[in-house]
Amino acid sequence: MRRASGALRRYRVMAYVTGSMLLVLCLEMVLKYALHVYALDWVPRLHGFVYIVYLVTVFDLWSVMRWKLGRFVTMAAAGVVPVMSFVLERRVHADGQERLATLGRR
């Protein structure tokens, strides 16, 4: 149960970091393609690295919680759709807390 709560905490942090980086990436794309400002060229690489770390935390939480494959795919997709990671994080966190509570009662 300790591993599951740690995985849930790590996922929550990475969901916010990944979502924030994705919003910065969207800003970088607007600056680059609409305004021809190339000041944030490092953002795509950093987001790629953050997304890989996010996928590792998603896999860790998914495997610990023993959720279905569809949940994993949805959680992974949340890292590439703007704002989706913030929305899905709330749902996943609530489901994870509920699962931990049921495991704690056993």
Side-chain angles (χ1 to χ4, degrees):
M1 189 152 97
R2 176 180 277 173
R3 181 168 178 235
S5 66
L8 189 60
R9 194 174 315 113
R10 286 187 297 276
Y11 166 75
R12 190 171 207 191
V13 168
M14 285 310 300
Y16 281 109
V17 171
T18 303
S20 300
M21 281 304 304
L22 190 55
L23 291 176
V24 172
L25 179 64
C26 290
L27 173 68
E28 186 268 341
M29 290 176 68
V30 167
L31 289 173
K32 184 176 183 178
Y33 294 112
L35 304 175
H36 305 290
V37 175
Y38 298 94
L40 301 174
D41 287 340
W42 50 270
V43 171
R45 276 178 253 139
L46 181 59
H47 172 28
F49 175 75
V50 167
Y51 183 67
I52 291 170
V53 175
Y54 171 75
L55 284 178
V56 170
T57 61
V58 164
F59 181 78
D60 183 36
L61 179 62
W62 173 76
S63 63
V64 167
M65 293 292 184
R66 298 176 186 245
W67 284 326
K68 294 182 180 178
L69 182 61
R71 172 69 63 104
F72 175 76
V73 171
T74 305
M75 290 167 65
V80 294
V81 178
V83 185
M84 187 175 167
S85 67
F86 300 117
V87 174
L88 190 64
E89 182 277 328
R90 291 188 62 108
R91 174 69 184 262
V92 169
H93 187 261
D95 291 349
Q97 291 286 52
E98 182 180 316
R99 177 121 175 147
L100 287 175
T102 58
L103 290 175
R105 285 189 287 236
R106 288 183 182 178

